[in-house]
Amino acid sequence: MRTTAALIVLGLALAPRAAAQQTQPARPVILSPTEGATVASPVTVTVKPADPGSPAMAGMGPGAHLHLIVDSPLPAAGSMVPMDARHIHMLHNETTTTLSLPPGRHSLQLIEGTMGHIIEPDAPHSDLITFEVK
């Protein structure tokens, strides 16, 4: 009986920690490269999307997806995300992509867009990261 009670208490104590480790962030995150890193080209970019159930994603609708912005500012609310080398559309929920970048300083940022590639007001977005390609 005491063993069962101890296991229940231990399980209750560990449950919030396990849940926290499995939850997605409220906004998208660039996992690699990291801020200030020095990397070689081609650069593998790894991202984590925002939790689809987070308040930040409310109103994004089905088909919302990430856009990886390379060496450019985020598109303005209400605008369509261009389809070019500086605006990578991650249409199929990809969590990695590879970029061929020249040596020098570069920046990356993620932003959620609608199925129609429109940026909603208050669209979830990552922090801007800068890194060096050697």
Side-chain angles (χ1 to χ4, degrees):
M1 182 81 156
R2 286 185 186 185
T3 303
T4 303
L7 289 174
I8 290 171
V9 169
L10 180 61
L12 291 173
L14 295 177
R17 174 186 246 171
Q21 291 174 346
Q22 294 175 2
T23 59
Q24 288 180 287
R27 58 194 195 126
V29 175
I30 297 172
L31 300 173
S32 69
T34 57
E35 173 64 31
T38 299
V39 298
S41 190
V43 179
T44 299
V45 179
T46 306
V47 303
K48 187 169 190 174
D51 177 4
S54 73
M57 291 295 290
M60 290 301 294
H65 59 277
L66 285 175
H67 297 85
L68 178 63
I69 311 303
V70 182
D71 297 332
S72 293
L74 290 178
S79 68
M80 181 178 275
V81 180
M83 288 193 171
D84 59 29
R86 292 180 181 248
H87 301 86
I88 312 301
H89 294 248
M90 302 177 94
L91 297 168
H92 305 289
N93 299 315
E94 300 96 320
T95 56
T96 62
T97 191
T98 303
L99 304 173
S100 292
L101 297 171
R105 187 175 176 93
H106 296 278
S107 66
L108 298 174
Q109 197 164 12
L110 292 167
I111 191 163
E112 291 278 350
T114 67
M115 182 170 54
H117 312 287
I118 302 296
I119 301 301
E120 295 287 334
D122 300 321
H125 62 277
S126 71
D127 290 333
L128 175 75
I129 66 141
T130 58
F131 60 98
E132 202 67 37
V133 172
K134 56 182 176 180

